[in-house]
Amino acid sequence: MKLIFYPGCSMLGPARPYMESLTAIEPLLEMELQEVEDWNCCGATEYMAVHRLPAYALVARNLAIAQKQSNGSRTVMAACSACYLNLAKTDKYMADSIEMNVSVNDALAAGGLSYDPGSLRIRHLLDVLYTDIGLEKIRARVTRPLNGLKIAPYYGCMIVRPDPHHRWPNPENPTALEEILEALGAEAVEYPMKTRCCSGHMTLINPDTAYELIRELVHSATISQADLLATLCPMCQLNLDAYQVEMNKHFGSAYHMPVLYITQLIGLAFGLAPEQLGIGKEFIPSAPALAKIGVEIPPEAATPRRGRKKDEGLPMPQMPTRKGGPR
Amino acid sequence: MERMMLQLVMREEMSGAQSFLDYVETITPGYSRLDMCIQCGTCGGSCPSGGDMDHTPRHLFALIRADMKDEVLASNTPWYCISCYLCMSRCPQEVHITDLMYTLKSIAIEEGHVSENTAANLSETFLSYVESYGRSFELGLATRFYLRHHPKESMGMAGMGFGMLTRGRMVITPEKIKRIGQLRSILNRAKELEAAL
Ligand code: SF4
Ligand code: SF4
Ligand code: SF4
Ligand code: SF4
């Protein structure tokens, strides 16, 4: 199936393992991804806090290019939750508001572009896997079932909320991810926190708030006896994995909950080697969990160098004043 | 009674007739539905950042209606919003709460309410990278951000950089998109249109 793919900046940096594993399973799922040509950053949750209309124009440039770039597909797929939502929201708001459609197209015209809202299907990777590819096709490819692996399914926020195109009938209790995990042979544990927020950019702004949210998510997965957490978003992975180390320091706790991308788990179940899937680059090593299914991670794929353990955490800024507000 | 009415009318006229509510609604892209808020409080009850906020979203919207612009812009509430959209998906009136939080942040920045505000500076730093390169660039972003706001902690950046670099998860040089000029023209035109609202 041909798809237009919007990678987003994270996939080139902190979420490179997500990109590697997606690329590795792409042919096995008969996906053909074509990147949005010369795409720009979608602005995440930051651009819109400074400029409103330009934030939508920023996203609309990508939509306009995707629309021109017909490769026989009108589906644009993003693997980052924030990227997906920004694309979907821009399309939806332009379709719903004539004023916005006119203004955004006026701005696009300054760059010789235009976008016709509603002309593209905008989908998150999870939706494509579940709806377009389907459980049957996924199941048929499994050569190394993840039998015995208990996985907490984590959706985060922006895939299921606010759901501009009504993709998820039950946004408070979606089940697509569980169904995919089970198609891979894993056991999806009951995970009540599955659509709770991972704290987004709060890890940079007010870590105390962030740690609380991260602790709840990791704790809940731990008492569900999960071996690992499955994620669908670069920022969720970063917050739950890298900041789990900081959260442990903050609370003096010893949680050890590895966080892998759905694409890495699919790749493992399809028999691919961990190195092909970027496994071993996480801060909380997944090796102990994966040993349960007989997967060994070669030492060079795992954390390189020794003797720097102490330095590996993330530096934590503080809000200047806690309660009186960030004025 | 008559005098009070007169005062109210005069206040309306002096404030140029456009209430803060109207202003917020006009400049929020799409239809924010703020005027539909029934003050039910579902939003505040859902918010994961509620404990840190000066005002619940509900309270903030009441202040907007009461035209208490200064209180609204001084509130830390929008800055604690982490865009989780939980309130928005539960709101019985489908008010675009999260979008309104973005709007309030942007007004606070425009009107200079945010000099010491870490969150605002993160957004502004992010924006400057997007406008220079067309891409965000986490190493540059983090470095600039930490050096400016957290000089002590920025020593620890080496550690974070190390952890990310050894895992091949950090970009060292920023990537620039090919048609950055096109992107800037689009953004500049959008800024003109925004200013005219
Ligand atoms: S959400 Fe993140 S990754 Fe996606 S484009 Fe925006 S900044 Fe880049
Ligand atoms: S869970 Fe976190 S990273 Fe994921 S979408 Fe929500 S805020 Fe963003
Ligand atoms: S949930 Fe909606 S209607 Fe209720 S107070 Fe909040 S914004 Fe208003
Ligand atoms: S979107 Fe913002 S205001 Fe609404 S619940 Fe989430 S953090 Fe709170």
Side-chain angles (χ1 to χ4, degrees), chain A residues 150-151 189 220-228 257 292:
Chain A
K150 294 179 170 183
I151 304 181
V189 300
S220 172
T222 306
I223 56 173
S224 300
Q225 297 191 312
D227 299 307
L228 52 90
M257 183 55 63
K292 275 183 85 173

Side-chain angles (χ1 to χ4, degrees), chain A:
Chain A
M1 117 171 253
K2 290 190 176 185
L3 295 159
I4 303 171
F5 177 52
Y6 179 77
C9 314
S10 302
M11 301 288 277
L12 309 182
R16 199 167 284 166
Y18 199 7
M19 188 73 195
E20 286 166 9
S21 51
L22 175 61
T23 309
I25 63 170
E26 180 187 339
L28 301 175
L29 288 171
E30 293 163 43
M31 295 160 101
E32 241 180 83
L33 305 183
Q34 189 186 73
E35 265 191 30
V36 175
E37 193 267 319
D38 200 40
W39 57 271
N40 57 263
C41 174
C42 76
T45 54
E46 306 308 322
Y47 201 101
M48 210 177 297
V50 186
H51 288 294
R52 301 160 302 266
L53 187 62
Y56 288 91
L58 180 75
V59 179
R61 177 178 176 272
N62 296 318
L63 292 171
I65 295 171
Q67 187 187 343
K68 273 211 306 204
Q69 181 179 338
S70 124
N71 64 335
S73 170
R74 44 182 286 274
T75 301
V76 179
M77 181 183 90
C80 164
S81 302
C83 296
Y84 156 71
L85 181 60
N86 280 339
L87 291 166
K89 243 173 86 173
T90 302
D91 176 68
K92 174 73 171 148
Y93 285 10
M94 285 176 75
D96 284 356
S97 154
I98 296 168
E99 277 167 44
M100 242 196 100
N101 192 358
V102 170
S103 312
V104 172
N105 268 304
D106 185 335
L108 287 176
L113 294 172
S114 70
Y115 178 62
D116 182 13
S119 64
L120 295 169
R121 293 168 83 225
I122 295 155
R123 298 289 183 261
H124 186 271
L125 167 72
L126 175 68
D127 199 353
V128 169
L129 288 171
Y130 186 72
T131 317
D132 296 340
I133 294 172
L135 296 174
E136 275 320 301
K137 202 163 192 172
I138 295 173
R139 203 175 283 118
R141 277 283 173 182
V142 173
T143 56
R144 183 204 281 138
L146 308 182
N147 290 338
L149 209 54
K150 294 179 170 183
I151 304 181
Y154 183 57
Y155 295 81
C157 321
M158 298 188 195
I159 296 174
V160 290
R161 289 190 302 270
D163 194 13
H165 295 109
H166 306 292
R167 302 298 307 153
W168 307 99
N170 190 352
E172 305 244 354
N173 189 20
T175 56
L177 180 54
E178 284 90 325
E179 291 176 52
I180 294 173
L181 292 171
E182 272 161 11
L184 303 177
E187 180 190 336
V189 300
E190 193 64 37
Y191 188 44
M193 310 290 282
K194 63 187 177 182
T195 63
R196 281 285 291 268
C197 184
C198 74
S199 82
H201 71 190
M202 201 47 91
T203 36
L204 285 171
I205 295 166
N206 187 358
D208 286 0
T209 302
Y211 292 147
E212 282 297 337
L213 297 173
I214 293 169
R215 194 196 64 85
E216 284 176 38
L217 288 173
V218 172
H219 182 74
S220 172
T222 306
I223 56 173
S224 300
Q225 297 191 312
D227 299 307
L228 52 90
L229 264 160
T231 67
L232 304 157
C233 168
M235 176 94 143
C236 299
Q237 205 281 342
L238 183 73
N239 277 351
L240 291 176
D241 175 39
Y243 285 92
Q244 189 178 143
V245 178
E246 297 306 316
M247 180 274 287
N248 273 332
K249 281 189 214 159
H250 180 79
F251 291 111
S253 54
Y255 292 105
H256 181 101
M257 183 55 63
V259 188
L260 292 183
Y261 294 106
I262 182 64
T263 43
Q264 294 178 310
L265 294 164
I266 293 175
L268 284 175
F270 288 0
L272 300 177
E275 313 85 272
Q276 290 171 276
L277 301 166
I279 293 177
K281 291 176 182 167
E282 59 284 352
F283 279 71
I284 306 279
S286 62
L290 298 184
K292 275 183 85 173
I293 52 162
V295 170
E296 267 186 50
I297 299 174
E300 61 275 19
T303 316
R305 316 266 184 103
R306 278 142 284 154
R308 293 298 298 261
K309 270 253 132 58
K310 243 174 63 197
D311 273 342
E312 286 198 349
L314 296 155
M316 290 295 103
Q318 291 292 335
M319 283 291 239
T321 44
R322 185 83 205 293
K323 194 66 206 198
R327 288 207 52 188

Side-chain angles (χ1 to χ4, degrees), chain B residues 43-118:
Chain B
C43 45
S46 307
C47 182
S49 291
D52 289 313
M53 289 175 171
D54 292 338
H55 307 97
T56 61
R58 179 200 63 76
H59 192 181
L60 204 64
F61 297 158
L63 293 174
I64 293 176
R65 279 202 184 162
D67 225 17
M68 295 170 77
K69 182 177 170 184
D70 292 341
E71 285 80 353
V72 173
L73 296 184
S75 173
N76 72 5
T77 297
W79 300 105
Y80 273 98
C81 172
I82 44 185
S83 309
C84 78
Y85 290 90
L86 194 54
C87 54
M88 196 159 143
S89 78
R90 287 183 178 171
C91 170
Q93 294 295 89
E94 297 174 38
V95 176
H96 290 184
I97 303 169
T98 318
D99 295 340
L100 288 161
M101 294 297 172
Y102 285 124
T103 298
L104 294 174
K105 290 186 213 192
S106 67
I107 301 175
I109 291 176
E110 272 161 18
E111 304 199 358
H113 282 258
V114 294
S115 56
E116 297 279 306
N117 184 324
T118 317

